[in-house]
Amino acid sequence: EPEVTQTPSHQVTQMGQEVILRCVPISNHLYFYWYRQILGQKVEFLVSFYNNEISEKSEIFDDQFSVERPDGSNFTLKIRSTKLEDSAMYFCASSEDGNIYNEQFFGPGTRLTVL
Amino acid sequence: DAKTTQPTSMDCAEGRAANLPCNHSTISGNEYVYWYRQIHSQGPQYIIHGLKNNETNEMASLIITEDRKSSTLILPHATLRDTAVYYCIVGPYGSGNTGKLIFGQGTTLQVKP
């Protein structure tokens, strides 16, 4: 069964450093998403991406964040200058064929720890 | 903020049906009800969704009241592996209709032997 994959599973970085979280969505999917979950808190929407551009972003997704689909398979989330409060699980998700009512498939997540 | 209200936690005996309620009294006509679950900090997993009619798949059944103000997710024969946080989500949100999901705190279902 196809699945969303994410790398790395755990990333440790120093405050102020740049990190890139990588995701490989399911191959025929057209909508892509990033969510995050701070430990013990709820899952929060960050950004949605369709047709090679951001379609919606939340207030959390400020200028320190960016997303990119550099090739036909990868979908990345970059945090330019990490802060302690960026420590969280980051989940990538994708859904198929542009029908926004379809289910989203989530990856296993990347745990980001900012020291 | 999430547009749904769910109990914080529930217990269920293994092998019995788990009935998880959700209130969504402000749901609008074009909004669906989605259920996802999250097992121990893994990525959320889609379970089922519906608009007006009751729905059933291999995982669960979704019962939506006629006025659409509440719904119930039914796991017919709960197993220990069904222990998870269950999220009832109404959406998609906004005129842009990007499909974003707004998660609440969900219901922690503990299936006990």
Side-chain angles (χ1 to χ4, degrees):
Chain A
E1 184 176 328
E3 59 183 14
V4 176
T5 59
Q6 291 186 242
T7 54
S9 57
H10 191 188
Q11 174 89 47
V12 181
T13 190
Q14 295 290 325
M15 189 171 55
Q17 295 296 304
E18 174 183 288
V19 294
I20 297 176
L21 309 183
R22 303 182 190 280
C23 167
V24 180
I26 295 173
S27 62
N28 64 332
H29 285 190
L30 298 178
Y31 275 85
F32 312 111
Y33 307 86
W34 283 101
Y35 295 82
R36 80 170 186 189
Q37 186 174 33
I38 296 170
L39 186 63
Q41 299 187 22
K42 59 187 180 181
V43 178
E44 301 174 288
F45 167 79
L46 291 178
V47 66
S48 59
F49 191 86
Y50 171 69
N51 200 25
N52 280 322
E53 60 182 21
I54 290 173
S55 46
E56 187 171 1
K57 58 184 181 180
S58 71
E59 292 178 353
I60 303 168
F61 195 90
D62 61 21
D63 292 344
Q64 293 299 313
F65 290 87
S66 62
V67 289
E68 191 178 30
R69 188 155 163 82
D71 52 42
S73 60
N74 291 285
F75 180 51
T76 62
L77 174 70
K78 180 192 293 185
I79 309 175
R80 289 189 181 82
S81 178
T82 51
K83 303 187 284 286
L84 295 176
E85 53 265 38
D86 293 327
S87 294
M89 281 289 285
Y90 287 81
F91 296 108
C92 172
S94 68
S95 63
E96 66 176 325
D97 76 16
N99 182 345
I100 57 169
Y101 301 101
N102 282 339
E103 63 184 284
Q104 291 182 23
F105 292 80
F106 284 76
T110 292
R111 179 172 299 284
L112 177 64
T113 302
V114 182
L115 302 176
Chain B
D1 286 343
K3 298 173 65 174
T4 61
T5 303
Q6 299 178 252
T8 302
S9 63
M10 294 182 63
D11 289 343
C12 177
E14 188 178 19
R16 307 298 284 270
N19 296 277
L20 292 94
C22 179
N23 287 318
H24 33 78
S25 58
T26 61
I27 192 170
S28 62
N30 64 342
E31 289 182 320
Y32 282 68
V33 180
Y34 298 83
W35 283 84
Y36 282 76
R37 72 180 182 183
Q38 187 176 27
I39 299 172
H40 190 54
S41 296
Q42 296 177 19
Q45 176 191 23
Y46 167 85
I47 302 172
I48 198 167
H49 75 280
L51 183 62
K52 296 181 182 178
N53 299 321
N54 298 338
E55 302 287 344
T56 295
N57 62 21
E58 65 278 5
M59 288 183 69
S61 294
L62 173 60
I63 309 298
I64 303 174
T65 58
E66 194 169 341
D67 63 8
R68 302 208 324 122
K69 291 184 177 181
S70 66
S71 61
T72 301
L73 177 75
I74 301 173
L75 307 178
H77 306 286
T79 70
L80 299 178
R81 287 192 300 263
D82 292 321
T83 293
V85 180
Y86 286 77
Y87 299 100
C88 170
I89 300 169
V90 167
Y93 297 93
S95 59
N97 282 343
T98 62
K100 70 178 181 184
L101 299 172
I102 303 296
F103 290 80
Q105 298 293 346
T107 296
T108 298
L109 175 69
Q110 182 73 48
V111 181
K112 297 186 174 181

